[in-house]
mmCIF file of all heavy atoms in Angstrom:
data_model
loop_
_atom_site.group_PDB
_atom_site.id
_atom_site.type_symbol
_atom_site.label_atom_id
_atom_site.label_comp_id
_atom_site.label_asym_id
_atom_site.label_seq_id
_atom_site.Cartn_x
_atom_site.Cartn_y
_atom_site.Cartn_z
ATOM 1 N N TRP Z 1 36.167 125.702 -42.083
ATOM 2 C CA TRP Z 1 35.596 124.323 -42.153
ATOM 3 C C TRP Z 1 34.317 124.344 -43.057
ATOM 4 O O TRP Z 1 34.207 123.402 -43.828
ATOM 5 C CB TRP Z 1 35.261 123.832 -40.736
ATOM 6 C CG TRP Z 1 34.451 122.581 -40.669
ATOM 7 C CD1 TRP Z 1 33.131 122.449 -40.325
ATOM 8 C CD2 TRP Z 1 34.950 121.283 -40.863
ATOM 9 N NE1 TRP Z 1 32.783 121.116 -40.273
ATOM 10 C CE2 TRP Z 1 33.862 120.360 -40.645
ATOM 11 C CE3 TRP Z 1 36.150 120.751 -41.280
ATOM 12 C CZ2 TRP Z 1 33.990 118.977 -40.765
ATOM 13 C CZ3 TRP Z 1 36.288 119.387 -41.385
ATOM 14 C CH2 TRP Z 1 35.230 118.513 -41.106
ATOM 15 N N ASN Z 2 33.528 125.380 -42.948
ATOM 16 C CA ASN Z 2 32.261 125.406 -43.747
ATOM 17 C C ASN Z 2 32.538 125.922 -45.111
ATOM 18 O O ASN Z 2 31.561 126.036 -45.889
ATOM 19 C CB ASN Z 2 31.169 126.142 -43.007
ATOM 20 C CG ASN Z 2 31.592 127.589 -42.688
ATOM 21 O OD1 ASN Z 2 32.535 128.153 -43.288
ATOM 22 N ND2 ASN Z 2 30.889 128.187 -41.739
ATOM 23 N N GLY Z 3 33.746 126.304 -45.428
ATOM 24 C CA GLY Z 3 34.054 126.791 -46.783
ATOM 25 C C GLY Z 3 33.577 128.190 -47.094
ATOM 26 O O GLY Z 3 33.703 128.643 -48.241
ATOM 27 N N ILE Z 4 33.028 128.859 -46.142
ATOM 28 C CA ILE Z 4 32.409 130.169 -46.368
ATOM 29 C C ILE Z 4 33.435 131.313 -46.239
ATOM 30 O O ILE Z 4 33.423 132.283 -46.979
ATOM 31 C CB ILE Z 4 31.202 130.410 -45.420
ATOM 32 C CG1 ILE Z 4 30.122 129.425 -45.734
ATOM 33 C CG2 ILE Z 4 30.690 131.832 -45.505
ATOM 34 C CD1 ILE Z 4 28.938 129.446 -44.788
ATOM 35 N N PHE Z 5 34.278 131.220 -45.208
ATOM 36 C CA PHE Z 5 35.165 132.297 -44.905
ATOM 37 C C PHE Z 5 36.576 132.014 -45.402
ATOM 38 O O PHE Z 5 37.086 130.904 -45.234
ATOM 39 C CB PHE Z 5 35.175 132.599 -43.390
ATOM 40 C CG PHE Z 5 33.828 132.910 -42.869
ATOM 41 C CD1 PHE Z 5 33.061 131.951 -42.254
ATOM 42 C CD2 PHE Z 5 33.313 134.190 -43.026
ATOM 43 C CE1 PHE Z 5 31.780 132.251 -41.780
ATOM 44 C CE2 PHE Z 5 32.057 134.516 -42.571
ATOM 45 C CZ PHE Z 5 31.298 133.561 -41.947
ATOM 46 N N THR Z 6 37.148 132.999 -46.086
ATOM 47 C CA THR Z 6 38.532 132.894 -46.604
ATOM 48 C C THR Z 6 39.312 134.185 -46.316
ATOM 49 O O THR Z 6 38.736 135.243 -46.027
ATOM 50 C CB THR Z 6 38.486 132.637 -48.123
ATOM 51 O OG1 THR Z 6 37.858 133.723 -48.751
ATOM 52 C CG2 THR Z 6 37.785 131.349 -48.470
ATOM 53 N N ASP Z 7 40.596 134.047 -46.427
ATOM 54 C CA ASP Z 7 41.482 135.166 -46.313
ATOM 55 C C ASP Z 7 42.685 134.904 -47.235
ATOM 56 O O ASP Z 7 43.106 133.719 -47.345
ATOM 57 C CB ASP Z 7 41.929 135.431 -44.882
ATOM 58 C CG ASP Z 7 42.634 136.730 -44.661
ATOM 59 O OD1 ASP Z 7 42.446 137.672 -45.573
ATOM 60 O OD2 ASP Z 7 43.379 136.911 -43.687
ATOM 61 N N TYR Z 8 43.264 135.942 -47.767
ATOM 62 C CA TYR Z 8 44.377 135.849 -48.707
ATOM 63 C C TYR Z 8 45.474 136.806 -48.377
ATOM 64 O O TYR Z 8 45.209 137.976 -47.925
ATOM 65 C CB TYR Z 8 43.910 136.096 -50.126
ATOM 66 C CG TYR Z 8 42.903 135.100 -50.706
ATOM 67 C CD1 TYR Z 8 41.519 135.293 -50.509
ATOM 68 C CD2 TYR Z 8 43.326 133.986 -51.340
ATOM 69 C CE1 TYR Z 8 40.608 134.422 -51.014
ATOM 70 C CE2 TYR Z 8 42.389 133.037 -51.866
ATOM 71 C CZ TYR Z 8 41.071 133.269 -51.680
ATOM 72 O OH TYR Z 8 40.157 132.330 -52.161
ATOM 73 N N ALA Z 9 46.686 136.413 -48.687
ATOM 74 C CA ALA Z 9 47.754 137.420 -48.701
ATOM 75 C C ALA Z 9 47.540 138.368 -49.838
ATOM 76 O O ALA Z 9 46.888 138.021 -50.828
ATOM 77 C CB ALA Z 9 49.098 136.683 -48.868
ATOM 78 N N ASP Z 10 48.041 139.575 -49.627
ATOM 79 C CA ASP Z 10 47.896 140.577 -50.727
ATOM 80 C C ASP Z 10 48.416 140.068 -52.047
ATOM 81 O O ASP Z 10 47.850 140.334 -53.133
ATOM 82 C CB ASP Z 10 48.601 141.855 -50.338
ATOM 83 C CG ASP Z 10 47.904 142.617 -49.203
ATOM 84 O OD1 ASP Z 10 46.716 142.336 -48.954
ATOM 85 O OD2 ASP Z 10 48.519 143.499 -48.581
ATOM 86 N N SER Z 11 49.473 139.320 -52.015
ATOM 87 C CA SER Z 11 50.064 138.829 -53.254
ATOM 88 C C SER Z 11 49.181 137.816 -53.951
ATOM 89 O O SER Z 11 49.381 137.526 -55.137
ATOM 90 C CB SER Z 11 51.443 138.182 -52.968
ATOM 91 O OG SER Z 11 51.336 137.093 -52.037
ATOM 92 N N ALA Z 12 48.240 137.236 -53.254
ATOM 93 C CA ALA Z 12 47.366 136.196 -53.794
ATOM 94 C C ALA Z 12 45.998 136.747 -54.229
ATOM 95 O O ALA Z 12 45.328 136.092 -55.019
ATOM 96 C CB ALA Z 12 47.203 135.089 -52.792
ATOM 97 N N LYS Z 13 45.607 137.834 -53.693
ATOM 98 C CA LYS Z 13 44.295 138.386 -53.949
ATOM 99 C C LYS Z 13 44.136 138.641 -55.435
ATOM 100 O O LYS Z 13 44.944 139.225 -56.102
ATOM 101 C CB LYS Z 13 44.056 139.634 -53.175
ATOM 102 C CG LYS Z 13 43.890 139.425 -51.646
ATOM 103 C CD LYS Z 13 43.717 140.726 -50.919
ATOM 104 C CE LYS Z 13 43.589 140.462 -49.406
ATOM 105 N NZ LYS Z 13 43.556 141.681 -48.607
ATOM 106 N N GLY Z 14 42.949 138.204 -55.963
ATOM 107 C CA GLY Z 14 42.655 138.415 -57.414
ATOM 108 C C GLY Z 14 43.226 137.387 -58.355
ATOM 109 O O GLY Z 14 42.855 137.327 -59.492
ATOM 110 N N ARG Z 15 44.217 136.563 -57.838
ATOM 111 C CA ARG Z 15 44.822 135.547 -58.694
ATOM 112 C C ARG Z 15 44.609 134.105 -58.158
ATOM 113 O O ARG Z 15 44.499 133.210 -58.976
ATOM 114 C CB ARG Z 15 46.354 135.816 -58.814
ATOM 115 C CG ARG Z 15 46.677 137.187 -59.384
ATOM 116 C CD ARG Z 15 48.176 137.285 -59.629
ATOM 117 N NE ARG Z 15 48.948 137.108 -58.414
ATOM 118 C CZ ARG Z 15 49.980 136.235 -58.309
ATOM 119 N NH1 ARG Z 15 50.333 135.437 -59.316
ATOM 120 N NH2 ARG Z 15 50.670 136.109 -57.131
ATOM 121 N N PHE Z 16 44.607 133.976 -56.858
ATOM 122 C CA PHE Z 16 44.479 132.662 -56.262
ATOM 123 C C PHE Z 16 43.103 132.482 -55.637
ATOM 124 O O PHE Z 16 42.489 133.462 -55.129
ATOM 125 C CB PHE Z 16 45.528 132.451 -55.169
ATOM 126 C CG PHE Z 16 46.942 132.421 -55.627
ATOM 127 C CD1 PHE Z 16 47.272 132.604 -56.974
ATOM 128 C CD2 PHE Z 16 47.975 132.216 -54.754
ATOM 129 C CE1 PHE Z 16 48.598 132.598 -57.407
ATOM 130 C CE2 PHE Z 16 49.315 132.180 -55.176
ATOM 131 C CZ PHE Z 16 49.585 132.388 -56.501
ATOM 132 N N THR Z 17 42.576 131.278 -55.630
ATOM 133 C CA THR Z 17 41.311 130.971 -54.968
ATOM 134 C C THR Z 17 41.470 129.679 -54.221
ATOM 135 O O THR Z 17 41.821 128.661 -54.726
ATOM 136 C CB THR Z 17 40.176 130.790 -56.006
ATOM 137 O OG1 THR Z 17 40.073 131.993 -56.795
ATOM 138 C CG2 THR Z 17 38.870 130.531 -55.296
ATOM 139 N N ILE Z 18 41.099 129.790 -52.870
ATOM 140 C CA ILE Z 18 41.175 128.613 -52.015
ATOM 141 C C ILE Z 18 39.692 128.119 -51.927
ATOM 142 O O ILE Z 18 38.771 128.932 -51.829
ATOM 143 C CB ILE Z 18 41.725 128.956 -50.645
ATOM 144 C CG1 ILE Z 18 41.962 127.630 -49.852
ATOM 145 C CG2 ILE Z 18 40.894 129.955 -49.895
ATOM 146 C CD1 ILE Z 18 42.792 127.839 -48.565
ATOM 147 N N ALA Z 19 39.512 126.828 -51.912
ATOM 148 C CA ALA Z 19 38.174 126.336 -51.898
ATOM 149 C C ALA Z 19 38.118 124.961 -51.203
ATOM 150 O O ALA Z 19 39.119 124.175 -51.185
ATOM 151 C CB ALA Z 19 37.621 126.146 -53.299
ATOM 152 N N ARG Z 20 36.982 124.619 -50.602
ATOM 153 C CA ARG Z 20 36.700 123.317 -50.068
ATOM 154 C C ARG Z 20 35.188 123.145 -49.945
ATOM 155 O O ARG Z 20 34.468 124.182 -49.762
ATOM 156 C CB ARG Z 20 37.305 123.109 -48.663
ATOM 157 C CG ARG Z 20 36.611 123.862 -47.562
ATOM 158 C CD ARG Z 20 37.351 123.853 -46.225
ATOM 159 N NE ARG Z 20 37.564 122.529 -45.651
ATOM 160 C CZ ARG Z 20 38.160 122.386 -44.471
ATOM 161 N NH1 ARG Z 20 38.622 123.400 -43.798
ATOM 162 N NH2 ARG Z 20 38.321 121.143 -43.961
ATOM 163 N N ASN Z 21 34.676 121.995 -50.133
ATOM 164 C CA ASN Z 21 33.288 121.721 -49.874
ATOM 165 C C ASN Z 21 33.091 121.732 -48.294
ATOM 166 O O ASN Z 21 34.008 121.320 -47.596
ATOM 167 C CB ASN Z 21 32.810 120.424 -50.460
ATOM 168 C CG ASN Z 21 32.823 120.475 -51.987
ATOM 169 O OD1 ASN Z 21 32.488 121.540 -52.535
ATOM 170 N ND2 ASN Z 21 33.153 119.381 -52.606
ATOM 171 N N SER Z 22 31.972 122.146 -47.881
ATOM 172 C CA SER Z 22 31.745 122.199 -46.406
ATOM 173 C C SER Z 22 31.969 120.865 -45.763
ATOM 174 O O SER Z 22 31.440 119.857 -46.166
ATOM 175 C CB SER Z 22 30.251 122.602 -46.146
ATOM 176 O OG SER Z 22 29.990 122.643 -44.787
ATOM 177 N N GLY Z 23 32.850 120.862 -44.792
ATOM 178 C CA GLY Z 23 33.175 119.681 -44.063
ATOM 179 C C GLY Z 23 34.074 118.694 -44.781
ATOM 180 O O GLY Z 23 34.340 117.629 -44.277
ATOM 181 N N SER Z 24 34.611 119.130 -45.954
ATOM 182 C CA SER Z 24 35.506 118.243 -46.722
ATOM 183 C C SER Z 24 36.873 118.294 -46.128
ATOM 184 O O SER Z 24 37.324 119.369 -45.608
ATOM 185 C CB SER Z 24 35.533 118.650 -48.170
ATOM 186 O OG SER Z 24 36.560 117.967 -48.835
ATOM 187 N N THR Z 25 37.572 117.236 -46.227
ATOM 188 C CA THR Z 25 38.979 117.175 -45.754
ATOM 189 C C THR Z 25 39.958 117.451 -46.884
ATOM 190 O O THR Z 25 41.177 117.249 -46.756
ATOM 191 C CB THR Z 25 39.271 115.819 -45.104
ATOM 192 O OG1 THR Z 25 38.949 114.765 -46.013
ATOM 193 C CG2 THR Z 25 38.480 115.620 -43.824
ATOM 194 N N THR Z 26 39.456 117.843 -48.047
ATOM 195 C CA THR Z 26 40.344 118.219 -49.194
ATOM 196 C C THR Z 26 40.173 119.695 -49.462
ATOM 197 O O THR Z 26 39.033 120.171 -49.605
ATOM 198 C CB THR Z 26 40.062 117.372 -50.397
ATOM 199 O OG1 THR Z 26 40.242 115.980 -50.098
ATOM 200 C CG2 THR Z 26 40.945 117.764 -51.567
ATOM 201 N N VAL Z 27 41.256 120.360 -49.602
ATOM 202 C CA VAL Z 27 41.267 121.806 -49.888
ATOM 203 C C VAL Z 27 42.039 122.012 -51.184
ATOM 204 O O VAL Z 27 43.078 121.336 -51.464
ATOM 205 C CB VAL Z 27 41.941 122.593 -48.759
ATOM 206 C CG1 VAL Z 27 42.130 124.048 -49.154
ATOM 207 C CG2 VAL Z 27 41.077 122.536 -47.509
ATOM 208 N N PHE Z 28 41.591 122.949 -51.988
ATOM 209 C CA PHE Z 28 42.227 123.252 -53.275
ATOM 210 C C PHE Z 28 42.707 124.681 -53.257
ATOM 211 O O PHE Z 28 42.158 125.562 -52.620
ATOM 212 C CB PHE Z 28 41.208 123.068 -54.408
ATOM 213 C CG PHE Z 28 40.572 121.693 -54.432
ATOM 214 C CD1 PHE Z 28 39.342 121.521 -53.804
ATOM 215 C CD2 PHE Z 28 41.231 120.641 -55.015
ATOM 216 C CE1 PHE Z 28 38.765 120.243 -53.860
ATOM 217 C CE2 PHE Z 28 40.647 119.409 -55.103
ATOM 218 C CZ PHE Z 28 39.408 119.168 -54.468
ATOM 219 N N LEU Z 29 43.738 124.932 -54.068
ATOM 220 C CA LEU Z 29 44.259 126.247 -54.303
ATOM 221 C C LEU Z 29 44.406 126.420 -55.836
ATOM 222 O O LEU Z 29 45.321 125.837 -56.441
ATOM 223 C CB LEU Z 29 45.597 126.515 -53.606
ATOM 224 C CG LEU Z 29 46.119 127.947 -53.745
ATOM 225 C CD1 LEU Z 29 45.213 128.913 -52.934
ATOM 226 C CD2 LEU Z 29 47.565 128.023 -53.221
ATOM 227 N N GLN Z 30 43.516 127.189 -56.429
ATOM 228 C CA GLN Z 30 43.554 127.493 -57.796
ATOM 229 C C GLN Z 30 44.433 128.726 -57.995
ATOM 230 O O GLN Z 30 44.119 129.770 -57.428
ATOM 231 C CB GLN Z 30 42.178 127.727 -58.424
ATOM 232 C CG GLN Z 30 42.176 128.138 -59.871
ATOM 233 C CD GLN Z 30 42.608 127.030 -60.777
ATOM 234 O OE1 GLN Z 30 42.245 125.861 -60.583
ATOM 235 N NE2 GLN Z 30 43.449 127.348 -61.765
ATOM 236 N N MET Z 31 45.489 128.605 -58.712
ATOM 237 C CA MET Z 31 46.430 129.699 -58.953
ATOM 238 C C MET Z 31 46.480 130.087 -60.429
ATOM 239 O O MET Z 31 46.786 129.262 -61.292
ATOM 240 C CB MET Z 31 47.843 129.297 -58.441
ATOM 241 C CG MET Z 31 47.878 128.823 -57.051
ATOM 242 S SD MET Z 31 49.565 128.546 -56.466
ATOM 243 C CE MET Z 31 50.065 127.201 -57.486
ATOM 244 N N ASN Z 32 46.084 131.315 -60.668
ATOM 245 C CA ASN Z 32 46.041 131.835 -62.028
ATOM 246 C C ASN Z 32 47.050 133.006 -62.160
ATOM 247 O O ASN Z 32 47.479 133.559 -61.158
ATOM 248 C CB ASN Z 32 44.636 132.293 -62.402
ATOM 249 C CG ASN Z 32 43.552 131.201 -62.326
ATOM 250 O OD1 ASN Z 32 43.888 130.040 -62.616
ATOM 251 N ND2 ASN Z 32 42.371 131.567 -61.966
ATOM 252 N N SER Z 33 47.296 133.323 -63.422
ATOM 253 C CA SER Z 33 48.219 134.432 -63.713
ATOM 254 C C SER Z 33 49.502 134.321 -62.887
ATOM 255 O O SER Z 33 49.970 135.289 -62.279
ATOM 256 C CB SER Z 33 47.526 135.764 -63.413
ATOM 257 O OG SER Z 33 46.352 135.930 -64.170
ATOM 258 N N LEU Z 34 50.074 133.151 -62.915
ATOM 259 C CA LEU Z 34 51.311 132.907 -62.100
ATOM 260 C C LEU Z 34 52.466 133.738 -62.580
ATOM 261 O O LEU Z 34 52.610 133.988 -63.824
ATOM 262 C CB LEU Z 34 51.640 131.414 -62.115
ATOM 263 C CG LEU Z 34 50.736 130.544 -61.217
ATOM 264 C CD1 LEU Z 34 50.805 129.086 -61.612
ATOM 265 C CD2 LEU Z 34 51.073 130.741 -59.735
ATOM 266 N N GLU Z 35 53.305 134.129 -61.649
ATOM 267 C CA GLU Z 35 54.450 134.954 -61.901
ATOM 268 C C GLU Z 35 55.683 134.235 -61.404
ATOM 269 O O GLU Z 35 55.575 133.403 -60.483
ATOM 270 C CB GLU Z 35 54.305 136.303 -61.211
ATOM 271 C CG GLU Z 35 53.057 137.074 -61.607
ATOM 272 C CD GLU Z 35 52.738 138.195 -60.608
ATOM 273 O OE1 GLU Z 35 53.411 138.287 -59.603
ATOM 274 O OE2 GLU Z 35 51.827 139.009 -60.946
#
């Protein structure tokens, strides 16, 4: 909820980034180097 803690699947680490502003109801997933 506070946007501070995240966890990723091994397949996503280093390529994907999950983000949200603290308390925001919108979450983003930035996906780079897609395969």
Side-chain angles (χ1 to χ4, degrees):
W1 171 252
N2 57 19
I4 294 175
F5 300 99
T6 60
D7 191 21
Y8 295 90
D10 288 344
S11 60
K13 288 177 182 176
R15 300 188 301 128
F16 296 1
T17 302
I18 189 170
R20 74 190 299 181
N21 292 325
S22 179
S24 172
T25 55
T26 300
V27 171
F28 304 97
L29 184 69
Q30 177 68 41
M31 304 187 294
N32 298 328
S33 302
L34 283 162
E35 304 166 350

